[in-house]
Amino acid sequence: MGSQGGFYQSKEFLDLVKSIGEARSKAEEDRIVLNEIETLKRRISEPDIPKRKMKEYIIRLVYIEMLGHDASFGYIHAVKMTHDDSLLVKRTGYLAVTLFLNEDHDLIILIVNTIQKDLKSDNYLVVCAALNAVCKLINEETIPAVLPQVMELLAHPKEAVRKKAIMALHRFYQKSPSSVSHLVSNFRKRLCDNDPGVMGATLCPLFELIARDVNSYKDLVISFVSILKQVAERRLSKAYDYHQMPAPFIQIKLLKILALLGSGDKQASENMYTVVGDIFRKCDSSSNIGNAVLYECICCVSSIYPNPKLLESAADVISRFLKSDSHNLKYMGIDALGRLIKISPEIAEQHQLAVIDCLEDPDDTLKRKTFELLYKMTKSTNVEVIVDRMIDYMISINDNHYKTEIASRCVELAEQFAPSNQWFIQTMNRVFEHAGDLVNIKVAHNLMRLIAEGFGEDDDNADTKLRSSAVESYLRILGEPKLPSVFLQVICWVLGEYGTADGMFSASDITGKLCDVAEAYSNDETVKAYATTALMKIYAFEIAARRKVDMLPECQSLMEELLASHSTDLQQRAYELQAVIGLDAHAVACIMPSDASCEDIEVDRDLSFLNDYIQEAIEKGAQPYIPESERSGMLNISNFRNQDHHEASSHGLRFEAYELPKPAVQSRIPQTLIASTEIVPVPEPMYPRESYQTTMPSIPSDAGSAELKLRLEGVQKKWGRSTYTPATSTSNSTSQKTVNGTSQGDGASTVSSMRETYDSRKPQVEVSHEKQKLAASLFGGSSKTEKSPATGHKAAKASSHVVEKSHVPKSSLEVASEKATPAQQPPDLLDLGEPTATSTALQLDPFKQLEGLLDATEVASAVNGAPAASRSPDIMALYADTAAGIHNKNDADLLSGLSNPSVTNMPGTTAMPQVTQSSSKGPNPKDSLEKDALVRQMGVNPSSQNPNLFKDLLG
Amino acid sequence: MIKAVMVMNTQGKPRLAKFFDYLPVEKQQELIRRVFGVLCSRPENVSNFIEAELVRLQDSRLVYNHFATLYFVVVFDSSENELAMLDLIQLLGQQTLERCFKNVCELDIVFNYSKIHTILDEIILGGQVLETRSTEIMRAVEEISKLEAATNAISFIPKSASSWLSR
């Protein structure tokens, strides 16, 4: 047969292909193709085109569409061709429609009738062509139209037709299981077809059926095993041999099926041992397909109930794969090893060298696969080597996506298996140095927490050592140019907190370094903010230790610069620093206790210390505060609209344009809110005094919503991180409002940047927990023994959480958040709302996370004598904790600030409205939530001059 | 199941693309471009597998092989065996096409576009490997081409007669 065969093409087509092939640029190619499209458009609609010509036109159309151009004008002609009597034309028509159309295309309806007719044709080639089209073009609605014919074809005398009919039925099952569920038994019947090809085709649908429901096919285990046995013993005709392997594709499918059926089923697995063992022995490992079967055997062995003999054979094959020169086999070997170590982790040991070799390989695919494996087999004994390698590789690659992944894996492994604190800090430093911008900020916070908390053991000495080694290494690293922002934040925080703690370095050393950082990275406001706060801490510690404080000249100039900064945040910090320096030792020691980042802070969450002041104000004739819900006097949900209205009135036109996205918010948030109203109706207070009390009833309601979310968690998580947006809005609501209310203009930018950090931090909490769980399940059986002695800090920490929880209602994450709070948000009246937000944000989340993990908490807190709603008070308590924590750390006594607004500068005055505001927000979290959601939706932070905020608060 | 079979030349021009799960034309083009981008950056003598992540595919694996000036790429999901898919490319690329065209080259594929599709239809149906015996495949394809040639020559023959002819 010549190369043209029956598939003749004209010179024109050859010319087209040639000219496209010779096109020098994409533009030229496009031009040629567009020309061609014009020609075809004209020609194809001419009357009386010879069939052969028509066929060629259609093929040309298919070709054009493959090149990425629109050929839809010709679809209808392709459909028409399927109606033709000539097989040549009909087949071309079917080919074209299967390539052009998808199952939901409008034109399909014109083809169904033809397909029906063709399925009944006497010519089996026509039937085959129609079945090809059925596989591609029939959708759920049209299945009934062709189903009877396809069912008849299952008994067609030609095996090629039977095969295709089975595939068509399989396709129906994939598209709409319900429409053919009553016919599934046909697959079982066809398994006994006397043509091995048909039997092999049946395995495809059966594999899928079994994957969905293993238990109803357990009875077939014996049949599958005997089929596999016959195939492996070469009982099939020679025609099925492929590279001297008897029907390898059938063997592979059968092994896959057996792997499913034998998984966790000892009895079923026992039936398989002999045949799988036979295949291991007989399989020809010199051909590619033979290795494919061997690999499938390993997969099967690692999936079914383990058998030592088979595991041994599997390990042999794996070592053969790994020693082979072929990259493909190495790749399969690594993959197989990854499967097998889940069952017998000890085999990894003997292959460690081979695996390390794969790391040196130039093949990127192989390298990545290997890192995946290494990640799986990391233990405390090999963590140093593996993480070291991973970091080296991480430095070498450019693909940011993958770099991020490796970095997070390094962090995770280091956190989990770190042999020593020293090593851990060094490793983290390397990761931060090279991928700091890619690592999630939460990792940085974790590191800070770790340094602050020590490693969970009650050895203060070790902790101190750890800290001084960290300080030392950071001082060294600061010499390097161009460090990532996140890393600098960590460095600044650690230097501020512990720089002078061990007396090795003088305050002027540290402050000098910090000033250098702030200068060198003057574009990075976050780093500058961290540095300023660190400076304040250093000076505060100095003052508290009653040493003389000499401010370095560069530090002074930095402060001068910051005092006039455009960023209100930086300005704020600078003013605070100034204020702290002016205080006496005792006061400073109170507001800035040394190494207090882990301390718990007592908080008066009712803000009762304000009561006198308010009483006084009311007596003087001030208007009592009326909560917003009271003012509107409407239902809470519709309140939302009201809210919008409110703001619209105060901002004129500006908010009008943004009305659209509202429904989405409502559908998302009220879910929890409605529930919370149902649980506890929020009483509507009349006076500010009462409004404080109403925070109490509101606690359960708030908690109710939180708890409701907890329950929903399992379901919603599936939809990814976005689920957490509502939670974020809860937490941010107060902060955003207040900050906006006070800080003007550019303040908004600070806020949004802050918010970003919080947002980015939160999903991370979730991820790492998930990963930890995953790791736990991966290593569950194998590395348990290893973990307990060596991984000390992790395990100890987990347990310490529980303990902590039972005594003080506090989780480690809260501690972290608290610690992070002073770090990121130094005593900062302006941002009063903000830190609160941080803590709640973190708290809500970890609770959800922890709920599953630490069931003990509930019990513990119940024992503790906490009220029935064990969790909720925690949240509120902490909410308050942090809020007051900031107060404490602040020298500016709130009360004095309130009574004497003109004396304490700007922050003091603004503080009052915020406090009142946030307390008033207490009883009605819903409002703030909605408001915040609205703000987020609109992407606009209500600008500073919101008269309502102040009018209501200040009376 | 097999999701797609693609053939492209070493310049990245698609020569054949068959998608067993429907993808809009633009997405097909995007995928072909991405795959080519990865392929041309791979050194010689390395494995024939590509990380699906690199071409932004989910739950997929990619296997490719290189014959003369052509890349054959198969995209499939976890229910197929990588090495077996590699053999499938072998089967399609070397055995069957070689039998069809003797010294298969890029032009054969372009000029016999519909024939290649016919061959593929015989090997893979609905995303499942249906036939792996190259003799069987060849027989079926020859039968079709003979028949088409026959119907072509005497296309005026009424339907009943033409179907009689085909037996």
Side-chain angles (χ1 to χ4, degrees):
Chain A
M1 113 223 77
S3 71
Q4 302 300 316
F7 300 88
Y8 168 81
Q9 254 112 41
S10 77
K11 177 142 189 321
E12 247 175 290
F13 181 60
L14 299 191
D15 287 344
L16 169 72
V17 170
K18 230 163 123 194
S19 58
I20 290 177
E22 285 162 2
R24 281 169 201 286
S25 64
K26 181 79 180 127
E28 194 181 341
E29 185 189 306
D30 284 349
R31 199 170 43 75
I32 296 168
V33 172
L34 287 179
N35 257 340
E36 173 72 10
I37 289 177
E38 281 312 306
T39 324
L40 283 176
K41 258 188 198 164
R42 212 172 46 242
R43 295 250 189 101
I44 213 163
S45 44
E46 282 170 9
D48 299 331
I49 311 170
K51 284 175 181 171
R52 180 182 288 256
K53 266 260 173 290
M54 191 66 200
K55 181 201 156 179
E56 198 202 297
Y57 291 155
I58 293 294
I59 295 289
R60 276 152 80 170
L61 273 180
V62 173
Y63 192 74
I64 285 168
E65 188 160 283
M66 185 189 69
L67 292 175
H69 296 266
D70 178 39
S72 54
F73 65 89
Y75 289 178
I76 186 70
H77 297 283
V79 171
K80 249 196 283 183
M81 284 176 80
T82 62
H83 304 333
D84 202 285
D85 286 337
S86 151
L87 180 66
L88 172 79
V89 178
K90 189 188 274 297
R91 277 186 51 85
T92 311
Y94 274 133
L95 172 67
V97 288
T98 50
L99 291 171
F100 284 152
L101 308 181
N102 72 338
E103 57 191 33
D104 298 321
H105 199 281
D106 294 339
L107 292 175
I108 296 292
I109 203 73
L110 298 176
I111 307 174
V112 173
N113 201 15
T114 321
I115 291 180
Q116 271 181 328
K117 209 173 69 205
D118 287 343
L119 286 175
K120 287 187 199 143
S121 164
D122 298 335
N123 185 343
Y124 86 94
L125 287 174
V126 174
V127 176
C128 283
L131 280 172
N132 276 350
V134 163
C135 283
K136 185 76 197 283
L137 299 177
I138 296 297
N139 68 7
E140 196 173 348
E141 285 161 37
T142 37
I143 284 173
V146 294
L147 192 56
Q149 283 94 327
V150 172
M151 291 308 296
E152 271 170 42
L153 293 175
L154 285 177
H156 197 274
K158 277 273 186 191
E159 73 273 356
V161 176
R162 291 205 298 273
K163 258 194 306 199
K164 292 192 176 181
I166 286 172
M167 286 308 186
L169 199 56
H170 178 199
R171 203 72 183 144
F172 294 162
Y173 179 76
Q174 281 177 333
K175 281 178 184 164
S176 154
S178 59
S179 65
V180 291
S181 55
H182 57 293
L183 301 169
V184 162
S185 60
N186 281 289
F187 293 131
R188 280 168 178 263
K189 263 186 240 156
R190 282 297 130 203
L191 195 59
C192 314
D193 197 288
N194 41 24
D195 182 79
V198 179
M199 185 273 295
T202 320
L203 296 176
C204 300
L206 280 175
F207 173 72
E208 201 159 310
L209 286 166
I210 292 169
R212 289 193 198 190
D213 175 20
V214 181
N215 289 328
S216 30
Y217 292 88
K218 292 277 185 193
D219 57 315
L220 285 178
V221 172
I222 304 288
S223 319
F224 286 130
V225 167
S226 84
I227 294 170
L228 183 57
K229 198 162 180 238
Q230 289 176 42
V231 174
E233 286 172 356
R234 299 180 179 276
R235 301 270 186 83
L236 300 186
S237 86
K238 274 272 178 213
Y240 288 92
D241 279 10
Y242 178 88
H243 286 265
Q244 281 92 50
M245 279 289 293
F249 283 86
I250 293 181
Q251 287 194 44
I252 288 170
K253 264 273 140 45
L254 280 167
L255 283 166
K256 276 190 185 294
I257 290 175
L258 290 183
L260 287 177
L261 286 170
S263 171
D265 184 340
K266 192 175 179 195
Q267 203 189 345
S269 303
E270 273 165 358
N271 291 316
M272 305 168 190
Y273 291 154
T274 332
V275 68
V276 177
D278 279 352
I279 297 176
F280 264 128
R281 262 196 311 282
K282 282 182 191 160
C283 216
D284 164 33
S285 61
S286 60
S287 70
N288 187 41
I289 195 73
N291 288 320
V293 175
L294 281 174
Y295 166 76
E296 214 49 67
C297 282
I298 299 172
C299 293
C300 181
V301 166
S302 60
S303 160
I304 63 177
Y305 192 87
N307 170 293
K309 250 180 122 182
L310 287 181
L311 286 175
E312 208 174 290
S313 317
D316 283 349
V317 174
I318 288 177
S319 71
R320 231 184 302 152
F321 279 180
L322 288 174
K323 280 175 195 148
S324 133
D325 289 332
S326 153
H327 284 91
N328 289 341
L329 288 186
K330 277 187 190 165
Y331 178 91
M332 299 315 268
I334 296 280
D335 185 272
L337 195 57
R339 290 168 187 272
L340 214 57
I341 55 167
K342 281 182 221 156
I343 305 172
S344 51
E346 66 280 357
I347 74 153
E349 239 85 320
Q350 28 175 320
H351 298 301
Q352 219 151 22
L353 273 182
V355 171
I356 296 293
D357 275 349
C358 290
L359 286 183
E360 310 286 330
D361 205 275
D363 186 351
D364 211 42
T365 313
L366 185 56
K367 247 188 224 171
R368 290 183 181 202
K369 193 83 191 170
T370 313
F371 275 115
E372 222 163 89
L373 172 72
L374 284 183
Y375 171 69
K376 278 190 215 161
M377 50 191 244
T378 307
K379 287 184 231 133
S380 52
T381 46
N382 56 15
V383 65
E384 287 172 77
V385 190
I386 289 177
V387 172
D388 208 46
R389 290 274 177 170
M390 277 178 141
I391 294 177
D392 284 343
Y393 181 59
M394 182 187 80
I395 295 169
S396 75
I397 54 174
N398 296 321
D399 177 2
N400 269 356
H401 177 76
Y402 196 58
K403 212 171 185 168
T404 316
E405 198 182 309
I406 293 217
S408 69
R409 282 185 171 181
C410 289
V411 170
E412 190 190 329
L413 291 178
E415 283 181 351
Q416 199 167 1
F417 297 109
S420 71
N421 303 340
Q422 212 83 12
W423 178 85
F424 180 78
I425 289 179
Q426 272 165 13
T427 308
M428 296 314 277
N429 289 352
R430 276 188 81 195
V431 173
F432 275 118
E433 220 178 310
H434 296 285
D437 293 328
L438 302 170
V439 176
N440 202 300
I441 186 114
K442 195 228 153 198
V443 175
H445 294 184
N446 250 348
L447 180 59
M448 291 190 242
R449 187 188 81 203
L450 215 67
I451 293 172
E453 250 180 10
F455 281 78
E457 290 120 25
D458 290 326
D459 186 355
D460 282 344
N461 228 348
D463 288 351
T464 319
K465 241 193 229 158
L466 166 81
R467 286 166 194 158
S468 30
S469 80
V471 168
E472 233 174 289
S473 64
Y474 288 150
L475 284 175
R476 202 173 49 243
I477 287 168
L478 272 183
E480 314 232 342
K482 276 225 155 239
L483 293 168
S485 167
V486 178
F487 192 28
L488 286 166
Q489 292 167 27
V490 176
I491 292 178
C492 287
W493 188 83
V494 172
L495 289 186
E497 200 75 26
Y498 303 110
T500 53
D502 62 351
M504 281 243 295
F505 302 96
S506 72
S508 62
D509 284 349
I510 305 283
T511 48
K513 286 276 185 192
L514 286 169
C515 288
D516 289 349
V517 170
E519 212 169 298
Y521 300 89
S522 55
N523 292 332
D524 192 333
E525 286 195 359
T526 325
V527 170
K528 263 170 141 179
Y530 268 86
T532 318
T533 307
L535 283 173
M536 176 161 63
K537 282 187 204 156
I538 300 278
Y539 286 131
F541 297 154
E542 287 297 295
I543 295 169
R546 297 178 198 282
R547 277 191 287 262
K548 194 172 174 304
V549 175
D550 285 320
M551 219 180 192
L552 295 176
E554 61 252 48
C555 186
Q556 256 154 6
S557 63
L558 176 72
M559 281 312 121
E560 269 157 38
E561 181 204 322
L562 293 184
L563 284 173
S565 169
H566 283 297
S567 156
T568 45
D569 178 52
L570 289 178
Q571 213 178 43
Q572 168 80 32
R573 287 169 202 255
Y575 272 111
E576 277 162 14
L577 173 59
Q578 232 177 19
V580 168
I581 286 177
L583 291 171
D584 68 66
H586 180 70
V588 171
C590 283
I591 54 167
M592 273 285 182
S594 169
D595 189 20
S597 56
C598 319
E599 302 297 315
D600 302 334
I601 295 160
E602 287 286 317
V603 167
D604 179 359
R605 65 170 172 245
D606 292 341
L607 301 176
S608 55
F609 54 88
L610 284 174
N611 286 359
D612 289 344
Y613 170 75
I614 289 158
Q615 202 56 46
E616 196 183 314
I618 288 173
E619 274 162 19
K620 278 184 192 158
Q623 286 288 313
Y625 175 73
I626 305 166
E628 220 149 355
S629 59
E630 185 80 348
R631 271 174 269 158
S632 54
M634 291 177 87
L635 272 178
N636 284 312
I637 299 303
S638 56
N639 214 0
F640 177 59
R641 176 168 286 276
N642 209 23
Q643 198 74 50
D644 180 37
H645 211 68
H646 223 235
E647 284 179 74
S649 64
S650 61
H651 289 277
L653 280 173
R654 187 159 147 211
F655 282 80
E656 297 281 330
Y658 295 100
E659 287 238 302
L660 263 179
K662 225 174 359 180
V665 183
Q666 278 190 330
S667 66
R668 207 153 28 114
I669 295 164
Q671 198 180 10
T672 51
L673 296 176
I674 294 165
S676 78
T677 37
E678 279 165 8
I679 293 169
V680 179
V682 182
E684 298 181 328
M686 286 301 283
Y687 302 101
R689 214 193 147 78
E690 275 172 12
S691 94
Y692 297 133
Q693 286 161 357
T694 53
T695 28
M696 294 306 286
S698 84
I699 293 166
S701 89
D702 192 337
S705 71
E707 274 180 349
L708 218 113
K709 262 187 235 138
L710 295 183
R711 262 176 256 128
L712 283 170
E713 199 54 70
V715 188
Q716 292 198 330
K717 215 193 250 166
K718 278 183 190 166
W719 301 101
R721 290 173 182 178
S722 55
T723 332
Y724 288 96
T725 11
T728 327
S729 53
T730 338
S731 51
N732 276 338
S733 57
T734 39
S735 65
Q736 231 188 315
K737 279 278 141 179
T738 44
V739 173
N740 280 314
T742 53
S743 62
Q744 308 216 344
D746 50 354
S749 71
T750 334
V751 173
S752 60
S753 74
M754 293 293 190
R755 193 147 35 101
E756 259 164 42
T757 17
Y758 298 144
D759 287 355
S760 64
R761 200 191 313 170
K762 233 141 57 73
Q764 192 59 21
V765 175
E766 173 204 358
V767 168
S768 88
H769 269 269
E770 262 170 19
K771 278 204 181 146
Q772 278 166 17
K773 252 190 265 175
L774 179 72
S777 65
L778 278 174
F779 285 83
S782 59
S783 49
K784 230 179 250 159
T785 42
E786 305 256 352
K787 260 184 168 176
S788 48
T791 61
H793 82 262
K794 196 82 196 176
K797 203 177 284 167
S799 61
S800 78
H801 293 171
V802 184
V803 175
E804 233 181 332
K805 278 213 149 210
S806 55
H807 295 308
V808 195
K810 208 157 260 227
S811 82
S812 69
L813 281 152
E814 289 152 27
V815 178
S817 75
E818 278 192 345
K819 210 173 313 133
T821 312
Q824 190 161 17
Q825 308 286 149
D828 192 346
L829 275 174
L830 247 187
D831 285 352
L832 223 170
E834 195 101 37
T836 341
T838 334
S839 58
T840 32
L842 277 165
Q843 282 152 17
L844 280 178
D845 215 24
F847 269 123
K848 288 175 218 155
Q849 300 289 332
L850 286 167
E851 197 188 35
L853 298 171
L854 305 166
D855 270 339
T857 347
E858 217 128 55
V859 185
S861 51
V863 171
N864 219 11
S870 58
R871 189 137 304 168
S872 41
D874 291 5
I875 295 174
M876 276 325 273
L878 277 150
Y879 172 98
D881 265 8
T882 25
I886 278 69
H887 294 221
N888 282 352
K889 288 214 168 194
N890 252 302
D891 65 320
D893 181 351
L894 259 181
L895 268 175
S896 74
L898 292 172
S899 53
N900 209 351
S902 55
V903 176
T904 39
N905 44 27
M906 183 187 102
T909 34
T910 43
M912 186 195 55
Q914 285 157 17
V915 175
T916 344
Q917 170 81 1
S918 50
S919 74
S920 72
K921 284 262 164 69
N924 208 339
K926 217 165 305 160
D927 277 10
S928 51
L929 234 185
E930 282 163 357
K931 207 173 196 173
D932 178 66
L934 177 72
V935 169
R936 289 164 153 274
Q937 285 270 320
M938 293 175 162
V940 176
N941 296 314
S943 79
S944 47
Q945 286 90 7
N946 187 346
N948 294 320
L949 271 178
F950 292 96
K951 204 171 27 187
D952 296 324
L953 295 170
L954 295 169
Chain B
M1 75 176 275
I2 297 169
K3 293 181 177 171
V5 175
M6 296 179 264
V7 180
M8 60 188 92
N9 72 3
T10 39
Q11 271 111 53
K13 285 211 167 67
R15 289 310 186 195
L16 180 91
K18 212 173 167 75
F19 288 81
F20 296 97
D21 263 348
Y22 179 77
L23 263 189
V25 181
E26 309 82 59
K27 294 256 177 199
Q28 294 183 7
Q29 293 300 314
E30 201 183 310
L31 182 64
I32 290 174
R33 265 201 307 279
R34 285 223 176 98
V35 169
F36 179 72
V38 176
L39 281 181
C40 60
S41 67
R42 284 182 69 78
E44 294 273 322
N45 298 323
V46 292
S47 65
N48 298 89
F49 310 123
I50 308 176
E51 303 260 305
E53 218 177 64
L54 286 177
V55 292
R56 312 273 184 278
L57 277 180
Q58 245 123 73
D59 182 35
S60 300
R61 303 167 189 204
L62 282 93
V63 166
Y64 73 95
N65 214 346
H66 192 168
F67 299 114
T69 55
L70 290 174
Y71 284 119
F72 285 71
V73 185
V74 180
V75 187
F76 52 94
D77 68 10
S78 58
S79 66
E80 305 285 342
N81 179 309
E82 277 108 329
L83 287 174
M85 287 301 117
L86 195 58
D87 258 48
L88 195 73
I89 295 178
Q90 200 95 353
L91 173 82
L92 171 73
Q94 281 187 340
Q95 299 183 9
T96 314
L97 295 188
E98 202 71 6
R99 275 184 200 222
C100 271
F101 306 116
K102 306 196 174 68
N103 289 327
V104 61
C105 71
E106 197 178 331
L107 277 186
D108 286 325
I109 295 199
V110 182
F111 293 147
N112 296 283
Y113 196 64
S114 63
K115 186 168 184 173
I116 311 283
H117 272 292
T118 313
I119 293 173
L120 257 183
D121 278 343
E122 287 303 312
I123 300 178
I124 304 168
L125 184 65
Q128 303 288 348
V129 180
L130 194 63
E131 183 57 76
T132 50
R133 292 169 291 169
S134 65
T135 43
E136 262 319 290
I137 299 165
M138 288 312 303
R139 211 167 50 78
V141 174
E142 269 167 45
E143 216 165 318
I144 292 167
S145 57
K146 248 187 245 160
L147 198 82
E148 290 194 351
T151 47
N152 233 4
I154 31 176
S155 54
F156 55 85
I157 293 184
K159 189 197 169 197
S160 57
S162 92
S163 57
W164 169 82
L165 241 183
S166 67
R167 290 181 171 214

